Amino acid sequence: MQFKRSLALLLGASALVFTGACSSSSGDGDGDAGSSKATSPSAGAPAKLASADLQSRWWSWTDADPEGANPIDDRDGRLCGKNQATDVWFLAGTHGGPAKRACRVPTGVPIAFPLVNRVATKSECDAFLRTAKGSATLDGKALEPERLGAAPVKGMGPGALSCGLWVQTAPLPAGTHTLRFEGSSGSFSTAVDYRLEAAPR
């Protein structure tokens, strides 16, 4: 089966469908079933997005602009604010390798990003997740990722599914924050260092 593109980004873990991975539960398409909870920087965080909604919306966000002009290809953070929604702020990984980005983010809006992820078939997702691993720290504090199994992705072709390791965290308080995340699966790896300036919209 062939899709528009398939990624092996985080922050990455992106916006093509490669047969690889991008920036990204060991389960099937059950959404959040069996996934672990991400740590939040503050109490009273908004409810997290369901697996299918989170993954489909993130891929739509990265796919809104062509290759070279989308958030996965962003080398310094200048594309961070493009096409963002009002209820969640997405961050991206890379198509492979490291990146350093500076990004202004709104206070009051939760943040979500993949450590490593991809669009693939169900069997490819299962194989991808078997070797997927990653980590994320926010202001030096570890964030626990969720392992999200294959979920349908809109606009990526018939039968397209997404899977990966994800972090959803509460809105940041105003000020400067440092976020680092990295992820890998098989021979693919990605890592991003973000300097985030949180301020009201």
Side-chain angles (χ1 to χ4, degrees), residues 100-142:
K100 289 187 177 182
R101 299 171 180 153
C103 179
R104 182 181 174 91
V105 301
T107 55
V109 179
I111 294 172
F113 53 91
L115 305 182
V116 63
N117 65 339
R118 71 168 295 177
V119 169
T121 64
K122 174 64 169 61
S123 61
E124 289 169 337
C125 265
D126 290 346
F128 178 79
L129 286 171
R130 278 196 290 271
T131 61
K133 58 184 179 180
S135 62
T137 57
L138 176 63
D139 296 332
K141 181 179 179 180

Side-chain angles (χ1 to χ4, degrees), residues 1 12 14 43 56 60 75 83 89 98-99 101 127 134 144 147-148 160 170 183 193 199-200:
M1 185 178 297
S14 305
S56 187
S60 294
R75 303 316 298 179
N83 306 309
W89 191 272
R101 299 171 180 153
E144 187 176 357
R147 185 173 293 267
L148 300 183
D193 287 284

Side-chain angles (χ1 to χ4, degrees), residues 25-69:
S25 69
S26 63
D28 17 19
D30 287 340
D32 297 324
S35 63
S36 55
K37 294 182 179 179
T39 327
S40 299
S42 62
K48 295 187 292 186
L49 295 176
S51 173
D53 190 29
L54 171 66
Q55 297 191 80
S56 187
R57 288 180 60 183
W58 186 88
W59 283 101
S60 294
W61 172 66
T62 62
D63 204 40
D65 289 297
E67 184 176 359

